[in-house]
Structures are given as structure tokens and as C-alpha cells.
Amino acid sequence: DVAVRYEAGAATFYTADRFNDAVWVVKDEAVVRTFKAGREPIALALTPDGRTLIAANHLPEQSPATFDASAAVRFIDTQTGKTDVVRLINGAMNVRDIVLSPDGKYVFITGIIGHFQRMPNDVNGGWMNENVLFVLDVKQRKYIHTQSLDDYSIGSANPWGVSISDDEQFVIVAASGSCDVLLIHLPRFSAMLDDYAGYAPRKTEPVDFPMMMRVPVGLKGVRSAAMVNGQVFASSYFEDALMKITPNISKPGGFVPGLVPKDILEIPRNKKLRPDTTTPYRDNIIKKNRLYSALPPFVLSAGIQFQRELIRLGPEPVWDNVRYGEMLFHDAVVCKEHWQSCSSCHPDGRSDCLNWDLLNDGQDNPKNTKSLLLSHQTPPSMAHGVRREAETAVRKGFETILMIPAAEDEAQAVDEYLKNLTEVVSPHKMPNGELSKSAQRGRRLFNSGKTGCSNCHPEPLFTDMQMHDAGTRSAVDTDDKFDTPTLIEVWRTAPYLHDGRYTALRQVFTEGKHYSKELTEPEIDDLVEYVLSL
């Protein structure tokens, strides 16, 4: 993300260097300063006076083994670099975007609350993942509110982009997974927040519509939306199209002339596309790869009419199996009541960094979510290897996590998408892609008998795909042996070990004694640098 400040005709760019956990300050095409910004700063906002940069972190930084882990927000003084860290609510993760309220009092952040303290045996009511807008007070620099974006019987999965309408009347949230746009009436929302923050009450004009309205967009992967001149424009990551949505707020509660009630689609509360058809809602969407054809031009939400108009940005895309699988992986319409998608727990195909007590290996033994990079190439799956291959894990994931079994062609498409995930080059490598001198020394140690690392983690996949007892069993585990994970991209997969007990790789070597003999401090430094370079 980028935030820009203009002053005296010159521009200063603040750029999120996500995988170096930093923010660059760029002037005149040169980096003039760098701020530390916590784990994966993914979204930035700058206060109107340019004095405070607000960086939202994508993932938690704590060990979830304590049942206390959450993403954070950093308030950075752009002149001194002094930073205040504000943690979001426990379980906050998969943060995506940030925007300031027009008066600069509040910052709104899209994300998910993972209820990882619960046994994930249900999905209703946001039992596993709840989709929210986090709200922080800018002046007091504190967290004050979590605004749920879900309805009691249907989720607004994977909130992504957030913006403010040009007339400053609405907060616009794009719910990517459930293919919706949420409109939150800003004056009433701000008045409510003033009450929570302890400010003097502000006056609001009475209006004849609810504080929050959900609009089915009808396109896959709605990752951003903006409202200009009373019209909402929602972009689709998978469709190469925009949807123009025109709300008829002046006449709430009525029906569009010429249409009978059955033609006006409210928020779908079951699997039926419309009351007059027996075709399952989900099957229509998946088989056609589209939502647009399944929705009428006019939709009704909370008594408000919304007119929809498709704007193609190019030819209608034709998806190959990999792209189709990517869509399904990020799609919550294939989940019961649209609460979550595969990417809710596996953002970008990686990990939410939380511990979940899945029932596939017994109860009361939570395990850290694994990255899915190379999952199909390095069987078995799950910490105890209870799934012999990733193909089985994918199908069981639909059945037991999304609560709707996948058709075989859908599961195969997701397999293809995951097989085609490619690693991000480690930020620990040199700019030319080579290992640093420290990492080169670490590589020799890694492959030596002094550590024995390569015995279980041989190249090129850095795993022997076997089960081993490495002395890491905890009091709640049901077995001594665990699957040997690949070390590729380990630089971004903290926390470490099957239960996420260590937040830094160095702890694995120093506290976990994850090698055969004692090493000197410089040797540990080199070994860590090499493994982080993979």
C-alpha cells in the first residue's frame, strides 16, 4: 500500500514493504528513511496533517499457544519515528485495508476475527470466523469498537477494501468472499463511536434507512468499491468487470414498477436461487462461474432498492482450472451461509497463524494452521499426517470447515490452484537472489553432521516427508511424531512448531534445541540466516 503527502508542491510517499516488516519514506525517487512497522504492514493511512502514519498489520505476532494472539496497528510519528502499537481484538487476523474517517477522528480497518479458542465443529453465526470492521480512535490511539459486517444468518466473508463516499455519507466495504458490498451510514456510525470514545454527542439528521445495508454485487472477488455521485462502483478480481450499483434511498421499502415481488432478490437465506426454482443457489453459481446471471437487475436489501449495471473492462474472461480453483479457494458462496472461504484461514494460500483444534486428530489438541505452499508436493498433510495427501485434505476441508462438500471438479480445480502456488523470494536473500555470506556459512552448517538438519530437511523440498519424534510433544498432544514440514518460505510462516509455541526461528534452535549438538552464538546466527533465506 502507499500513502502520499503533498506539501509545497512536493510529494512524500510512504510505501508498505510488507515482507520486510517496514515502511519506506520516498522523496525525489529515493528512500530517505525507513520505519519498522511490525509483521507484514499491508495497509497505510496518513492523518491530514501528515504527522501520523497508521500502518495495519496483516497477521498476529504472538504465539497462539497462549490463546492470545492478534494483529496490531501502528501509529508512527513521521517526524520522530516514535511508534505506538495498538493490538486489535483477540483473534484479529487477515487484515486487508484501512481508511480514515473524513474528520480524522477514527480509522476503519477490514479484517477477520478467528475464534480459535472454540472447537471448529460449526460455522453458523460466525462460529469459526467473524467478518468485521475494526475501529480505532486516532487521537487517543486506542481500539474502541468492532463493527460486525455479518447478518445473523449469513456472513459477509473476507472483507477487503474499505473507502469513504465522496459525499462523506457512507463507509463502503467490499466483502470479497461473499460477493457483497456493505454500506454503513457514516453520520450515525460516527455518533455511535463518539459515545463509545467518550466524546460529546454529535447531532445527526433522521433518515429512513438502516445504519448498514448489504448489496449483492453479483461478481466474484469484490476486493474494492467506491461511491461517487451516489453510485457505487465495485470491482471484481476474477471477472475483469465493474458493477455499477445505484441505490434508491429516497424511496425505501417499495418495489420496482413492472416487477413482481418474486423477481426482487433479498439476501439469500437458503440454497435456493429464487422462490420459484428448485435449482440450488450454490450449483447455479458454481456451474456458471458467475453470480451476475443469477441475479436480477434490481435487488432489494433492508427495504432499499438497488439497481445493478454490469460494466465490462474487456472480454469476458475464460478461466482455466488453476484460475477457477483460485476463485473457489477465495469464494465463500461455496460455504454454508457464506461465513468464510478457504482463504479465511489460509490468506494468500498461507496461514492465519492461529491454532485450531480440528477434529481430524482428536479433541483438545490445537495445532497451528499450516501454509499450503507445496502441500500437494510434500505429503502427508496435517501435523500428525492424518491425511495421506493434500487432495484428501482439500475435500475434507470443504466438508468439515465450509460445511458443504465440494463437487469433484471443484476439488480438482482447488488442487490445481494450490499446486501452482509459487514461493515469494525471501527478503533475507541478497538483491541478486544469492545468499549472504552469513547464509552461506549457515548452509554449510545445515548440511553438516554437526547439526543434522539436512537429514530430515534435504533439498530441494527441504523435507523428507516422514514422521519424526523431535522432542516437541506437548502435554495435550496425542502422538510423539509429527510431519516434517518444508522449510521453503519459513521466513513468513511464524509461529513455529506444530503448536506455534515459538514466534522467532532462533527460539527453535536455542530453546527447542532443534539440532544434535551445541552451537556457538555466531553459528546459530548463520544457521538462522540460511533457513530464513529459503
Side-chain angles (χ1 to χ4, degrees), residues 483-524:
D483 175 53
T484 304
T486 176
L487 298 181
I488 293 176
E489 229 182 50
V490 75
W491 56 271
R492 68 182 290 191
T493 61
Y496 300 110
L497 296 190
H498 67 279
D499 54 4
R501 69 183 70 171
Y502 299 130
T503 58
L505 187 61
R506 186 180 180 86
Q507 292 175 290
V508 177
F509 298 117
T510 57
E511 299 176 29
K513 302 295 183 183
H514 212 69
Y515 52 87
S516 58
K517 297 179 181 179
E518 292 296 325
L519 300 178
T520 65
E521 289 297 312
E523 286 176 326
I524 293 175

Side-chain angles (χ1 to χ4, degrees), residues 179-183 213-218 245 299 301 306 308:
C179 311
D180 299 320
V181 166
L182 288 304
L183 306 182
M213 298 171 283
R214 174 204 299 261
V215 187
V217 173
I245 301 168
V299 295
S301 177
F306 294 90
R308 305 178 320 120

Side-chain angles (χ1 to χ4, degrees), residues 332-534:
V333 177
V334 299
C335 173
K336 183 181 179 182
E337 297 184 354
H338 304 189
W339 284 103
Q340 58 197 28
S341 68
C342 301
S343 66
S344 296
C345 295
H346 294 281
D348 306 316
R350 272 64 179 189
S351 169
D352 61 7
C353 305
L354 301 177
N355 286 358
W356 293 92
D357 188 12
L358 302 183
L359 298 182
N360 52 30
D361 61 355
Q363 298 182 15
D364 300 322
N365 54 350
K367 304 291 191 301
N368 195 242
T369 305
K370 295 181 70 173
S371 170
L372 299 182
L373 177 70
L374 297 175
S375 58
H376 283 70
Q377 295 88 334
T378 59
S381 292
M382 322 305 291
H384 282 309
V386 295
R387 307 298 184 203
R388 296 184 61 181
E389 66 285 307
E391 286 81 357
T392 300
V394 166
R395 286 147 183 80
K396 287 296 182 181
F398 274 89
E399 179 183 340
T400 63
I401 303 299
L402 301 184
M403 303 296 178
I404 296 180
E408 182 56 28
D409 64 325
E410 299 168 10
Q412 290 177 4
V414 173
D415 289 335
E416 290 305 307
Y417 164 63
L418 295 176
K419 289 176 184 177
N420 280 271
L421 287 177
T422 56
E423 68 265 27
V424 175
V425 176
S426 170
H428 291 263
K429 283 189 174 178
M430 303 292 286
N432 59 5
E434 295 181 356
L435 297 176
S436 66
K437 291 182 178 180
S438 173
Q440 291 176 29
R441 294 191 298 268
R443 182 177 184 178
R444 289 192 289 270
L445 268 173
F446 185 90
N447 292 296
S448 72
K450 189 172 184 178
T451 65
C453 296
S454 60
N455 293 339
C456 298
H457 297 279
E459 297 186 42
L461 295 175
F462 293 92
T463 172
D464 62 1
M465 293 178 271
Q466 301 297 316
M467 308 291 292
H468 292 287
D469 180 0
T472 58
R473 179 173 180 168
S474 71
V476 300
D477 290 321
T478 57
D479 198 336
D480 295 318
K481 294 184 178 181
F482 296 90
D483 175 53
T484 304
T486 176
L487 298 181
I488 293 176
E489 229 182 50
V490 75
W491 56 271
R492 68 182 290 191
T493 61
Y496 300 110
L497 296 190
H498 67 279
D499 54 4
R501 69 183 70 171
Y502 299 130
T503 58
L505 187 61
R506 186 180 180 86
Q507 292 175 290
V508 177
F509 298 117
T510 57
E511 299 176 29
K513 302 295 183 183
H514 212 69
Y515 52 87
S516 58
K517 297 179 181 179
E518 292 296 325
L519 300 178
T520 65
E521 289 297 312
E523 286 176 326
I524 293 175
D525 290 339
D526 292 340
L527 187 59
V528 168
E529 188 63 21
Y530 171 62
V531 176
L532 290 177
S533 299
L534 297 177

